[in-house]
Amino acid sequence: MLIEVPKGGRFRVLRLFFSIYLCHEPLKQSIMKKDQYIPHEISMRSTTEVMNLIEKEGMAGYGIYWAIMEYLRTQDDYTGDVRVLRTLARQLKTKLCKVESVLHNYGLFTLTDFTFRSIKLDAMMRPFRIRFMSTAISWWLIM
């Protein structure tokens, strides 16, 4: 599908798109709430990293992994704050060291000093981000 843009209007379209994407929270939230789930691939347990996780931490570690993924899914840009790990451990009725072990030891997450992300979650959510962007553009063109 091609979108025709009036001559000289490309910059205006991009500017408005990014203003909708970055600033129009009610639109962003209404579109993204429709997709409040994580695609769970059946082959996930067969990856080397997850197999190592289950071997060392058991299925409890696998549950912690998915709880972290669910937490990341609810965050802007799928980036978590390390300061919530203690609260997450408390919610999961487990020790902080176990949550930190899942986060640090199996190559499932990328970490900085204060944040963490999942490359796998980014890849799983990419199609939904693309759909959100196309919906935002369509919404703007209708208005």
Side-chain angles (χ1 to χ4, degrees):
M1 176 180 162
L2 294 174
I3 299 172
E4 291 194 30
V5 179
K7 187 175 182 181
R10 285 194 176 128
F11 177 74
R12 184 171 158 237
V13 168
L14 285 174
R15 187 174 51 128
L16 283 169
F17 166 72
F18 284 110
S19 70
I20 290 168
Y21 179 72
L22 297 174
C23 303
H24 199 284
E25 280 302 313
L27 172 67
K28 185 176 178 181
Q29 289 173 2
S30 70
I31 292 169
M32 293 304 279
K33 280 190 189 233
K34 292 178 184 172
D35 296 322
Q36 284 294 316
Y37 64 92
I38 300 172
H40 183 123
E41 298 174 4
I42 295 298
S43 62
M44 190 70 180
R45 276 195 353 217
S46 300
T47 64
T48 305
E49 298 87 359
V50 173
M51 287 173 71
N52 289 335
L53 167 71
I54 294 171
E55 178 72 24
K56 299 264 196 293
E57 307 287 342
M59 288 306 283
Y62 189 60
I64 292 169
Y65 168 72
W66 277 105
I68 294 170
M69 295 288 274
E70 289 170 357
Y71 162 73
L72 289 175
R73 172 61 177 91
T74 63
Q75 302 305 301
D76 287 337
D77 202 30
Y78 313 126
T79 301
D81 188 330
V82 295
R83 293 175 291 188
V84 304
L85 294 179
R86 184 176 307 281
T87 304
L88 187 60
R90 211 172 304 126
Q91 288 174 350
L92 297 173
K93 310 265 191 272
T94 191
K95 296 179 180 170
L96 176 61
C97 62
K98 202 153 183 140
V99 173
E100 288 175 337
S101 174
V102 171
L103 203 62
H104 292 276
N105 295 338
Y106 301 98
L108 295 165
F109 300 96
T110 57
L111 299 135
T112 65
D113 291 336
F114 303 106
T115 63
F116 59 96
R117 330 178 34 91
S118 166
I119 296 169
K120 184 70 175 169
L121 181 63
D122 290 340
M124 287 190 292
M125 297 310 296
R126 190 169 294 120
F128 299 102
R129 300 282 274 183
I130 292 168
R131 186 175 353 146
F132 166 74
M133 289 181 209
S134 64
T135 303
I137 290 172
S138 299
W139 177 81
W140 179 79
L141 291 174
I142 291 170
M143 300 308 278

